[in-house]
Structures are given as structure tokens and as C-alpha cells.
Amino acid sequence: MSEVRTRFAPSPTGYLHVGGARTALFNYLYARAQGGKFILRIEDTDQERSTEESYHQVLDSLKWLHLSWDEGPEVGGAYGPYRQSERLEIYAKYAEELLAQKKAYRCFCTAEELETKKAQREAMGLPPVYDGKCRNLSEEEIQKKISQAMGYTIRFRCPSGEIVVDDIVQGQVRFDTSLIGDFIIVKSDGFPSYNYAVVVDDHLMKISHVIRGVGHLSNTPRQIMIYNAFGWPEPAWAHVSEIVGSDHKKLSKRHGATAITAFRDLGYQPKAFNNYMALLGWSPPDGKEFMTMATLESVFDVARCSKSPAMFDVFDLSKAQDVEFAKLNSHELEKFLFAKSKLNWLSNQHIRSTADDEYIREILPFVKAVAVVPADEMDANNQRLRSILLSLRVYLDYYQQIERYIGDFYTPFEIKNVDSSARQFMKEDFFLVVAETFSRLIDIDKESFTASQIKAKMEETGRVSGQKGKNLFMSLRIATTGKMEGLELPVYLELLGYDRVRERLKTTIALARKLRE
């Protein structure tokens, strides 16, 4: 069996979004699972829209996802160059071959003329295919038009009949070539069309499997015709399902399709995001969803991809009717995230399973951004900070969430910090009984102020005050945190420290008395 060679071939005309990133991931994983090669090729022949900024953004996104390519930009390889704009001579050579064999021809129709013909055919209910006006020009007519400096494109001479695509995911799909017509392979500016360049590149780069989104399925018959014209073998085709948003509509810039780097900026780990993307249209053989990259690289098989649309259930689109996600920064984006999405569940699992030192190293930049930890404590080896961060990680779905918690340990506790719902609870008669009882019972040596000792004092508070359940535990939480939810209380209070807890109790008890007046 020949070596498996897959490729990801983005156009540098914008950011890398989830659809493109998933395509890259599937190609990468299949190559790794088969012991093959993963190639990166940049399709930058759209001169008007391609930019260097986008090119570098695509590379940076792939690097963040740890999808390392075996051949391509910055790496090299035996089949370069790997940017289409540097391969124009190659495309010109093969176009000349097709012209010489009468499998392609020069078309001198202007853009205005073609647009008029297209509108006429559509008005008549006919498919908008080229009418073949220049198909049978004589060599004398061609040379005369060239001598008159008339611009031209090169069209592929589409054979009549049916093209059958044998697709690993979609099955057998048939196309009638009469509905395709003679299509352009070289544009008037000399740059190749997508369908032509991709065939030349995939053949010369020995690509064995073309894995891409189902939106490209309609391009495949054109590409197969070019393969046949050259007498080249086809690669294996695999067109994976489209990705839809939580409203079951195709992703768009106003619809949840945002830059992959936005998830990096929110503090998702690349391994978690890859795990989530792998499940968008693919199912693991053992049914387990939480997977490491090593596992994905060993078990991924494109044959297990589904035809059904995959739901990108990350954003609550009902709250963002006219929002263009691509333009939001990470803080703006956060308010539209589904709290219980599969991405967040997987991300939480990955954060929990991350080695302590790695976790601390990864989260520190996000802690620093909150700007509440003193400079002399902002260190990976600071034991108090480490203890706080290690205790908090079970509550994190992504690292930017640390700003919800870290301030509690480093900023002064004030009356105004007590939220309104907690204030209402503090008016109940039992609240002061519980708060004052707990305050007396923890009047112990600071050295004994540990989570286990605190838990024991909480239980004793219940016995002494005669309260239990919500009355007891909610009162204790509000009295010490000013909030009705949060971390496991004994652990949280130990991390706060004896002095801070005592001060908070005084503050909330005073406020509760005032509220009852």
C-alpha cells in the first residue's frame, strides 16, 4: 500500500475558523493514524483577497492547535514550493499540454458578455453553463484575436456523460456534465482557477486522500475530469459533513464562525479544542468522548465520519441575532458562550487532568491579566498562589474564567460586594444565629484553620444553632463570601486564611444586623 499523504490547503483571505480548523485536524489525524504525512499548502492565487497578515494568522492558528505539518511553508519538502503563487510556471506548463491536446481552449468572451448570457439562460430556466461560443474557433481566428491583444481565459473542454464520485463518507454520487459545461481553468490574469490548480498540486504532491468539507463535493466532478484528461489516478475522496450552529443553520460570520484564535484568547487548551472539533462529524470506535491527542492520533478513521450536519454548540445564538462574532474580543465573546456546551465539559476535563506545573504555567498569564495578585506573589513557585490556583481548576472551563474567582483572595471584602439576593437571605432570623455561632466556634488557633477543621466547625454550628440544610450552609456561605454560590466552602476558607475570614464575618454580621433594623 502506498503512503497516506493528506493535505490542508487554506486560502489566506481571512482568519482560520472552526470549519477550516476541523478540516486541518481531520487531515492531520488521519495521516498520523495511518503513519503517513500531513502537508500544508497555501492556495493564495486570489490576488485581490489574499494577504500576508492572513497567511501568518493561519500558520499561527495551526501552531496553537499543535497541528504540525510534515511538508509546507517554514518546513520545506520534496514537492514544493507550497504556496500556489510560487507555482505559476507549473500551472502554465500543464495548461499548455491541455491546449495542445485540444482538451482545453482559449475563450475570448468578456466578463460583461458572459454575465448577459448567464442572465438570459437563467431567465429561460436553463442551467447557467457556458454556451461554448469559443469552443471551435480555428487556429487562425485564435491567433488573430491574440494579435489584437484581446484578453482570454482558458476553458476545459467538458466531455459529455456522467461523472461518478466514490466518496468514503458520502457514498457514490453522480453528476451530469451537461449541467457543468466548459469551465475556466486559467483566468484572464494568468492565474489558475481553484479546480485546476488543486488537481495539479494534489497530483504532483502525491496526495493520496482529499479530506474536506461537503461544500466541495460539487467541485469534485470538475477535478475528476482534469485527472482523467491527464491520465492521472484520482485520490481517495472524503467529504465530511457541514457544521451548523445551535439554530441548525450553516455557520457564518454573524452566526458563530469566529477565529480559532478567539478560543485561544479565552484560555481554552488546544488539546481540549481539538478533542471537541474531532467530535464534529466523527465518532470514536469505543464511544468515549474525552480523548487525548495521542488517542485521537491512533484511532481516527475518516470512514467513521458522518453525513449528518455537526452542531457547533458553543454560542447561544438566541442572544446574538445581529452579532458578528468574528469582530468580538474574548471578553465580549464570553457572554455568548453556552455554559453547558460539550466544548466546556471537555475543556474542564482536560484542565483537571493537566499536570500541576503545566497547568500553573498555562494559567499564570490569565491571572496576571486580572491584576489583583501582588507582584511579589506572581510566581509559579509561590505556594499560596499555587494552592489557590490548584484548588480553583475544577471550576474552570477555560482559563479566562479565573478572573471570576481570583479577586476574592486578594482584594478587600466590602459591604457592597454582597449581592442583592444574598442580602435578602441575610434578613432571615436564622441567619444571624448561624453567622454568630460560626464566628464564635472558629475562634481557634490560626495553625488549626484547615479545611477539615473548618468543616468540623460548620457541622458543630448546625448542632449549636439548630439549623440544617439550606438555612445552615447558605448562611455560612453568605456570611463568609457575600455570595450564594462558589467553591467548596471549607477549602475556600482555608485558602482565604483565618484573618480574612474573621474580618468578613464581622462585616456581614454587621450588615445583617443593619438590614433587620
Side-chain angles (χ1 to χ4, degrees):
M1 180 180 176
S2 59
E3 180 183 49
V4 167
R5 291 174 60 85
T6 67
R7 50 78 168 171
F8 177 54
S11 298
T13 55
Y15 53 80
L16 182 64
H17 55 77
V18 68
R22 184 193 64 166
T23 296
L25 177 66
F26 281 12
N27 279 279
Y28 170 86
L29 292 177
Y30 190 67
R32 292 291 176 265
Q34 298 296 319
K37 294 289 194 328
F38 170 58
I39 292 87
L40 175 63
R41 183 174 72 232
I42 303 298
E43 299 188 342
D44 59 349
T45 56
D46 186 338
Q47 293 298 286
E48 292 184 1
R49 298 173 60 223
S50 296
T51 67
E52 280 298 300
E53 179 184 4
S54 178
Y55 164 72
H56 289 292
Q57 194 274 344
V58 169
L59 264 60
D60 289 346
S61 298
L62 293 174
K63 289 175 182 177
W64 174 67
L65 291 169
H66 297 170
L67 304 184
S68 55
W69 50 97
D70 301 296
E71 298 174 22
E74 301 183 352
V75 175
Y79 304 102
Y82 293 91
R83 295 184 69 163
Q84 286 188 335
S85 59
E86 299 173 2
R87 298 173 62 83
L88 299 183
E89 291 183 5
I90 298 173
Y91 307 131
K93 170 192 170 186
Y94 284 100
E96 287 298 325
E97 283 189 22
L98 293 176
L99 287 170
Q101 297 171 17
K102 305 298 182 184
K103 294 177 179 178
Y105 60 91
R106 293 176 176 85
C107 174
F108 296 89
C109 296
T110 64
E112 294 77 11
E113 184 180 356
L114 292 172
E115 192 59 38
T116 299
K117 290 180 178 181
K118 179 182 177 182
Q120 290 173 343
R121 291 183 67 86
E122 289 177 343
M124 297 168 64
L126 298 172
V129 299
Y130 179 61
D131 64 3
K133 175 184 175 182
C134 297
R135 201 175 210 259
N136 297 309
L137 291 176
S138 66
E139 187 61 31
E140 182 180 352
E141 290 174 301
I142 292 171
Q143 291 306 318
K144 181 179 179 181
K145 291 179 183 293
I146 292 175
S147 68
Q148 294 172 345
M150 291 182 66
Y152 64 86
T153 60
I154 298 177
R155 288 184 180 271
F156 183 81
R157 199 181 294 272
C158 183
S160 59
E162 185 178 64
I163 298 294
V164 179
V165 180
D166 288 312
D167 193 273
I168 295 172
V169 178
Q170 303 297 325
Q172 197 172 81
V173 187
R174 298 176 180 274
F175 293 89
D176 183 349
T177 61
S178 67
L179 301 177
I180 297 173
D182 295 349
F183 54 93
I184 294 172
I185 60 172
V186 179
K187 295 174 283 188
S188 58
D189 61 3
F191 278 76
S193 70
Y194 165 75
N195 284 308
Y196 169 59
V198 74
V199 171
V200 173
D201 289 343
D202 283 347
H203 172 71
L204 295 180
M205 294 179 185
K206 301 186 183 300
I207 301 303
S208 64
H209 291 72
V210 172
I211 304 170
R212 56 191 181 186
V214 71
H216 282 289
L217 184 58
S218 60
N219 290 320
T220 310
R222 293 172 175 81
Q223 294 169 18
I224 289 176
M225 285 189 274
I226 296 173
Y227 275 106
N228 293 341
F230 284 116
W232 295 340
E234 295 176 44
W237 306 102
H239 290 87
V240 298
S241 63
E242 70 175 351
I243 300 175
V244 298
S246 58
D247 58 357
H248 301 279
K249 294 179 181 179
K250 186 177 179 181
L251 292 184
S252 67
K253 289 182 180 179
R254 293 189 177 274
H255 206 146
T258 192
I260 292 300
T261 49
F263 296 95
R264 175 199 66 191
D265 296 342
L266 279 166
Y268 285 99
Q269 295 175 311
K271 59 187 177 183
F273 201 77
N274 282 329
N275 188 171
Y276 174 72
M277 286 197 299
L279 299 174
L280 293 176
W282 172 79
S283 58
D286 60 4
K288 294 181 180 178
E289 295 188 320
F290 174 69
M291 288 172 283
T292 65
M293 277 298 285
T295 299
L296 286 168
E297 289 175 12
S298 65
V299 304
F300 184 85
D301 186 351
V302 73
R304 293 190 59 84
C305 289
S306 170
K307 292 183 184 181
S308 302
M311 185 184 293
F312 185 64
D313 66 337
V314 172
F315 297 120
D316 184 355
L317 301 176
S318 66
K319 297 191 297 185
Q321 296 301 317
D322 297 311
V323 173
E324 188 165 342
F325 285 89
K327 294 183 177 180
L328 302 181
N329 62 39
S330 61
H331 284 83
E332 294 169 332
L333 200 62
E334 188 178 21
K335 67 181 179 181
F336 298 111
L337 290 174
F338 275 122
K340 301 299 181 183
S341 69
K342 183 177 290 186
L343 170 60
N344 282 353
W345 176 78
L346 287 169
S347 182
N348 179 265
Q349 298 301 306
H350 279 283
I351 288 174
R352 290 178 182 226
S353 65
T354 300
D356 290 356
D357 287 345
E358 181 183 355
Y359 161 75
I360 295 295
R361 176 179 55 80
E362 290 177 347
I363 200 171
L364 273 182
F366 294 89
V367 176
K368 188 174 183 179
V370 183
V372 295
V373 179
D376 60 345
E377 294 185 39
M378 182 56 68
D379 186 280
N381 296 316
N382 182 277
Q383 287 306 307
R384 180 166 184 263
L385 180 59
R386 283 181 67 90
S387 297
I388 291 170
L389 295 179
L390 290 170
S391 297
L392 288 172
R393 71 168 160 188
V394 297
Y395 302 96
L396 302 177
D397 295 331
Y398 46 92
Y399 288 144
Q400 188 170 289
Q401 287 179 330
I402 195 65
E403 67 181 22
R404 302 180 185 180
Y405 305 106
I406 194 68
D408 284 354
F409 299 96
Y410 291 95
T411 56
F413 182 76
E414 301 176 6
I415 297 292
K416 65 181 180 180
N417 289 346
V418 180
D419 62 39
S420 57
S421 55
R423 285 171 182 260
Q424 290 300 115
F425 196 92
M426 292 166 67
K427 295 179 182 179
E428 301 292 342
D429 292 339
F430 56 78
F431 180 84
L432 267 177
V433 175
V434 170
E436 291 175 339
T437 301
F438 185 65
S439 181
R440 289 195 304 273
L441 289 174
I442 65 166
D443 192 12
I444 54 180
D445 293 339
K446 292 184 181 181
E447 290 72 20
S448 302
F449 199 68
T450 62
S452 59
Q453 287 282 2
I454 293 168
K455 184 178 181 181
K457 294 300 180 183
M458 288 170 60
E459 294 171 350
E460 188 178 350
T461 298
R463 292 192 295 272
V464 173
S465 67
Q467 299 297 321
K468 59 182 179 180
K470 183 178 180 180
N471 289 354
L472 172 65
F473 295 108
M474 191 61 71
S475 295
L476 290 171
R477 180 172 294 281
I478 293 172
T480 53
T481 72
K483 300 175 183 178
M484 298 184 72
E485 57 184 22
L487 312 182
E488 183 181 352
L489 196 56
V491 174
Y492 176 73
L493 297 184
E494 180 184 351
L495 292 170
L496 272 179
Y498 177 82
D499 291 334
R500 288 186 179 88
V501 173
R502 291 288 299 166
E503 194 60 36
R504 288 186 177 196
L505 282 166
K506 290 178 183 178
T507 300
T508 50
I509 288 171
L511 175 59
R513 287 173 177 163
K514 183 177 180 181
L515 290 172
R516 296 180 64 186
E517 292 176 357

